[in-house]
Amino acid sequence: MLKLFRYMMKPYWSAVLLVLLFTFFQALSELYLPTLMADIVNVGIVKGDTSFIWRVGGFMLAVAAGGMICSIAASYLASKSASGFGKILRGRVFSHVENFTLQEFDKVGTASLITRTTNDITQVQQVTIMILRMMALAPMMCIGGIIMAVSRDPGLTVVLVAALPVLALAIFIIARKGIPLFKAIQIKIDSLSRVMREGLTGIRVIRSFNRTEHEKARFNDANEDLTQTAIKVNKIMGAMMPVMMLVMNFATLAIVWFGGHRINEGHMMVGDLMAFLQYAMMIMFSLIMVSVMFVMIPRAQASAVRINEVLDMMPEIKDPEEAHQISARKGYIEFDDVTFYYPGAEEPAVSNISFCAGPGEITAIIGGTGSGKSTLISLIPRFYEVSSGRILVDDTDIRDMKQEDLRAKIGFVPQKALLFTGSIADNIRYGKEDATDEEVKHAAEVAQAADFISAMEGGYEAEISQGGGNVSGGQKQRLSIARALVRRPEVYVFDDSFSALDFKTDAKLRAALKEETTESTVLIVAQRVSTVMDADRIIVLDQGRIAGIGTHEELMENSEVYREIVSSQLSEEEIA
Ligand code: ADP
Ligand code: MG
């Protein structure tokens, strides 16, 4: 957790110092009050001496008010710096995560990343307030209290010497039982939010397969698990207070008992006994404060570790120290014996891939599901790092280019079309921020999206709801194609982007695309033979390997796998 605090130090260190200062004055005033009172009681007030009462009483009020003001100021500043710290930390984590490659996302998981940036940081933030307030106050009250108590009556401190170890032992036992449970709770919150997330994003699938009950049961299990652990923790923590009150009350009893005897014998004054009682309370309360901190800190520590895990995770794909100059060639792609393993996988997802593609050419990739098509093209924008071989874009190894330069060349349409909350125009402009209205319109027309956009209420200003819920799958695909088109990149990559389109729209779109992309390199991943038939080069993938490469006619002659695909689809169409 200390490691995280360095983020707070820069803008808030003066506030933190002020908190300490105010806390110090607060402690002074609280320590001074019982002494004041004891002196008054010891001296004794003569009946009718109103001016004395006003004078002394006014002074006590002033001291108390001063202490209160200091306490309020300290609390305010502590909350302010802790919230600011939380804000800085959230910003840090978010911008750090934005740099992650897909490899890191696979490792941590989206649900866990979300809990880490929200719940875990809140946890640390809350404890920071407590630390700022109590860490300083508790030792001051404890040490100050002991000094004052001893100065009042050294004899009675024996009672404290007996009571404090009992208190410390109780705290120790409780903390040892509670701390592991707090760590477990954090992990259980993670799994709960994972189940929750799947249940919400997958609601269509769950409904259609009638798995609602199953999902409910899964959620209940996770929920119950979390609840039981939380109950256990609270039981233990619940035991803490009564035990401490018991010890404190017995200590009070003993102090009054022995104090009474000492007063009887004339060793002690009544005021001193009253002051001593209050100091004893302060000392024990400060111990309780410390114990609460001992419980809270490990809990926040568990959160801090999880946050640090994210912050320490360095993206495995880095920009080279010296980026190559971008060469004059535009849009040449060459795969040179590329093999790629997903992290931890035993089998390569794609292996020994070699081919070239140039501007003005359409290269199609076809193959069954799971044959590695998406994997192959996700290597081009360097979402993943190749395991062996190399990929050249414009004669430069992509590892020698800045990722930004590389991706600026590419218009990528992912298999799963994703839209952002905002208007349709905003979504298309995501490809090129400064696109004019004409460019946006043109891109939409080429992507065959113009018709349904103008049919929508508001046209280009129509709002897309979260995750693109208010447009159909095919419409989503066309919008994400328009988003890539507006960029006018050197290389177009379409990952199965025509699958949700009907045959007619598919054909129209490809005809329009062909005119648009005469100077660009186009890579199309597709399932349908009709989509790839007129490509300049077709790559047939089978279990991550190239099973054939050539034009439709060449492949029909040479490739068994391709013929199988073609015949399976033709019969399908004939049936339909
Ligand atoms: P296609 O797009 O041809 O349907 P993919 O390229 O998506 O196939 O997947 C190829 C293989 O790689 C599959 O067997 C799949 O199990 C594996 N795979 C895909 N994505 C990942 C991932 N993120 N982590 C590990 N393995 C993956
Ligand atoms: Mg795919």
Side-chain angles (χ1 to χ4, degrees), residues 373-374 415 495-496:
K373 306 183 297 292
S374 299
Q415 179 163 20
D495 188 357
D496 226 347

Side-chain angles (χ1 to χ4, degrees), residues 168-471:
L169 187 72
I171 291 171
F172 177 75
I173 291 173
I174 288 168
R176 246 188 72 157
K177 286 204 152 180
I179 287 167
L181 289 178
F182 276 122
K183 290 192 179 158
I185 281 189
Q186 231 54 37
I187 296 169
K188 286 177 183 171
I189 291 180
D190 247 14
S191 48
L192 186 73
S193 41
R194 197 182 55 237
V195 174
M196 182 87 181
R197 205 183 130 82
E198 281 180 7
L200 291 180
T201 50
I203 190 73
R204 287 192 180 79
V205 181
I206 295 167
R207 290 270 162 80
S208 60
F209 285 95
N210 281 329
R211 298 291 276 181
T212 319
E213 288 307 315
H214 171 80
E215 282 301 310
K216 262 190 205 157
R218 223 158 67 100
F219 185 82
N220 275 344
D221 286 348
N223 200 0
E224 185 68 25
D225 196 18
L226 176 65
T227 312
Q228 287 309 332
T229 318
I231 289 175
K232 231 193 226 159
V233 165
N234 282 316
K235 266 186 194 157
I236 293 174
M237 291 303 132
M240 189 151 107
M241 263 299 156
V243 168
M244 290 185 181
M245 291 313 281
L246 200 72
V247 177
M248 275 181 41
N249 287 335
F250 270 111
T252 312
L253 211 67
I255 290 171
V256 174
W257 172 271
F258 290 113
H261 278 286
R262 284 176 69 81
I263 291 173
N264 224 3
E265 289 155 13
H267 294 310
M268 199 181 182
M269 310 259 276
V270 177
D272 288 339
L273 178 61
M274 288 168 68
F276 192 93
L277 263 181
Q278 293 209 4
Y279 287 130
M281 285 292 162
M282 280 184 197
I283 296 166
M284 287 190 273
F285 258 120
S286 64
L287 272 187
I288 293 181
M289 269 200 259
V290 172
S291 71
V292 171
M293 257 176 21
F294 270 123
V295 171
M296 293 295 283
I297 287 181
R299 190 176 174 182
Q301 183 66 36
S303 292
V305 167
R306 286 155 49 89
I307 299 166
N308 273 325
E309 261 171 24
V310 176
L311 285 176
D312 290 343
M313 198 179 271
M314 281 299 147
E316 275 175 33
I317 297 181
K318 282 197 219 72
D319 281 338
E321 308 262 302
E322 278 174 52
H324 261 248
Q325 287 299 315
I326 308 167
S327 74
R329 300 229 304 177
K330 290 214 175 301
Y332 285 89
I333 291 182
E334 185 181 344
F335 272 63
D336 182 11
D337 199 26
V338 170
T339 300
F340 170 71
Y341 291 81
Y342 277 105
E346 282 175 15
E347 297 286 314
V350 292
S351 45
N352 307 104
I353 306 288
S354 299
F355 72 91
C356 291
E361 292 177 342
I362 296 177
T363 303
I365 302 168
I366 195 168
T369 41
S371 56
K373 306 183 297 292
S374 299
T375 308
L376 176 73
I377 54 168
S378 68
L379 295 175
I380 301 174
R382 214 168 160 219
F383 290 156
Y384 295 97
E385 197 84 293
V386 295
S387 307
S388 71
R390 54 191 193 141
I391 299 172
L392 305 174
V393 170
D394 294 339
D395 301 327
T396 313
D397 192 320
I398 56 171
R399 283 169 292 196
D400 295 333
M401 291 166 114
K402 274 208 216 151
Q403 291 170 62
E404 218 184 312
D405 293 340
L406 170 65
R407 288 173 193 162
K409 290 172 181 285
I410 301 171
F412 194 87
V413 184
Q415 179 163 20
K416 198 165 167 250
L418 182 92
L419 300 179
F420 295 90
T421 318
S423 72
I424 286 186
D426 287 344
N427 266 291
I428 296 179
R429 274 211 185 88
Y430 210 84
K432 184 181 171 203
E433 258 171 84
D434 52 358
T436 62
D437 287 349
E438 274 65 47
E439 284 177 301
V440 169
K441 272 204 184 101
H442 179 69
E445 272 158 23
V446 175
Q448 307 299 313
D451 287 347
F452 80 81
I453 293 175
S454 52
M456 282 175 84
E457 203 176 320
Y460 284 86
E461 294 312 313
E463 289 293 316
I464 298 286
S465 60
Q466 193 187 355
N470 58 345
V471 282

Side-chain angles (χ1 to χ4, degrees), residues 6-241:
R6 62 167 189 254
Y7 295 118
M8 173 164 72
M9 284 312 150
K10 261 192 205 144
Y12 291 105
W13 66 271
S14 51
V16 172
L17 280 185
L18 275 180
V19 170
L20 293 186
L21 194 70
F22 281 125
T23 310
F24 180 68
F25 284 122
Q26 182 197 352
L28 274 190
S29 100
E30 281 183 28
L31 286 169
Y32 186 42
L33 276 177
T35 301
L36 257 181
M37 182 200 62
D39 288 342
I40 298 165
V41 173
N42 285 348
V43 171
I45 302 171
V46 183
K47 198 178 175 199
D49 194 351
T50 329
S51 76
F52 177 76
I53 294 176
W54 274 117
R55 199 156 33 86
V56 182
F59 184 59
M60 280 179 80
L61 270 181
V63 172
M68 196 177 71
I69 290 172
C70 286
S71 158
I72 292 173
S75 285
Y76 173 74
L77 288 171
S79 311
K80 201 173 143 175
S81 31
S83 313
F85 164 63
K87 181 183 137 199
I88 294 175
L89 198 55
R90 269 189 293 273
R92 280 300 288 236
V93 173
F94 183 75
S95 56
H96 188 72
V97 167
E98 285 285 285
N99 287 329
F100 276 7
T101 62
L102 298 185
Q103 232 140 318
E104 282 83 41
F105 272 103
D106 288 351
K107 227 183 276 172
V108 190
T110 318
S112 181
L113 273 177
I114 291 175
T115 18
R116 284 173 205 228
T117 20
T118 50
N119 186 300
D120 281 320
I121 292 184
T122 312
Q123 202 73 251
V124 173
Q125 181 182 326
Q126 276 169 356
V127 171
T128 309
I129 297 185
M130 285 190 37
I131 289 180
L132 283 176
R133 289 297 282 131
M134 292 188 178
M135 192 84 116
L137 192 60
M140 282 185 210
M141 298 294 280
C142 187
I143 297 169
I146 291 175
I147 293 173
M148 299 303 275
V150 172
S151 75
R152 280 290 128 183
D153 191 293
L156 267 187
T157 29
V158 178
V159 177
L160 281 181
V161 173
L164 291 186
V166 179
L167 203 59
L169 187 72
I171 291 171
F172 177 75
I173 291 173
I174 288 168
R176 246 188 72 157
K177 286 204 152 180
I179 287 167
L181 289 178
F182 276 122
K183 290 192 179 158
I185 281 189
Q186 231 54 37
I187 296 169
K188 286 177 183 171
I189 291 180
D190 247 14
S191 48
L192 186 73
S193 41
R194 197 182 55 237
V195 174
M196 182 87 181
R197 205 183 130 82
E198 281 180 7
L200 291 180
T201 50
I203 190 73
R204 287 192 180 79
V205 181
I206 295 167
R207 290 270 162 80
S208 60
F209 285 95
N210 281 329
R211 298 291 276 181
T212 319
E213 288 307 315
H214 171 80
E215 282 301 310
K216 262 190 205 157
R218 223 158 67 100
F219 185 82
N220 275 344
D221 286 348
N223 200 0
E224 185 68 25
D225 196 18
L226 176 65
T227 312
Q228 287 309 332
T229 318
I231 289 175
K232 231 193 226 159
V233 165
N234 282 316
K235 266 186 194 157
I236 293 174
M237 291 303 132
M240 189 151 107
M241 263 299 156

